[in-house]
Structures are given as structure tokens and as C-alpha cells.
Amino acid sequence: MIRKIANKDNAILIQNAFPTLPKYLTHPHTVNGKIYKVPKGIQKEIKYNFNELMSLKKQGIDLFFTYVDKIKEMMYQELQNDTVQKV
């Protein structure tokens, strides 16, 4: 997808998506020193396209460049370990 974000054309590569945890997000994206969020409409479009790629993946058509399933499993295990350590 190529969309205007902060008045510039930006490439959004859904096939490069991967799961992550909030603790790995170190800082917000900024434009000219101001925190910038992707507009809601583009967020919806990204989520829709991501879900379409996940649906294709379930049908055996894997268009992701990342090992989404492996990363997702590692993330879930890390969350479980974090929960166990807190108890």
C-alpha cells in the first residue's frame, strides 16, 4: 500500500508484518518533533489487509516475509513466562 502519511507518500508493507509486545516499543513515531499516529482510516485499511493475508495464510498461501507463526508463538510463550514470574 502507498498512502499519504504526514503529507508524504509512504509504503506500508503488510507482508513484512510481525507480532510484538508493548514492552518492545521504545518510543512513539514523531514528525517534526511531534508524536504522530497513523490516521484511523489507514489503520483500518492496514488491519483489513493484514486479516486478508492471515486468511490466505490459513489456506496455505503464505505471502509474509517474516515467520509470523513462529514469532507469534514465541510472543505467547514470553507472555506466559512473564505472567508466571509475576505470581
Side-chain angles (χ1 to χ4, degrees):
M1 298 171 41
I2 297 178
R3 298 292 178 270
K4 278 221 183 290
I5 300 176
N7 296 319
K8 292 173 73 176
D9 285 338
N10 287 271
I12 302 163
L13 305 173
I14 306 298
Q15 70 272 23
N16 288 346
F18 60 91
T20 190
L21 297 171
K23 68 182 181 180
Y24 294 116
L25 304 176
T26 60
H27 60 280
H29 181 70
T30 59
V31 175
N32 297 325
K34 295 181 182 177
I35 294 175
Y36 189 83
K37 289 186 176 185
V38 175
K40 295 277 187 204
I42 296 175
Q43 286 181 33
K44 284 183 179 182
E45 191 176 5
I46 291 169
K47 288 176 186 176
Y48 175 82
N49 286 322
F50 176 79
N51 287 329
E52 288 292 310
L53 283 183
M54 289 300 288
S55 178
L56 288 171
K57 188 171 185 343
K58 285 180 184 177
Q59 297 173 41
I61 304 168
D62 188 358
L63 300 174
F64 287 100
F65 292 146
T66 59
Y67 296 106
V68 173
D69 294 330
K70 184 176 181 178
I71 296 168
K72 186 172 144 184
E73 182 60 34
M74 290 168 59
M75 181 188 70
Y76 282 140
Q77 290 201 350
E78 185 175 343
L79 283 172
Q80 287 176 342
N81 291 341
D82 288 351
T83 302
V84 169
Q85 289 176 4
K86 288 180 183 179
V87 174

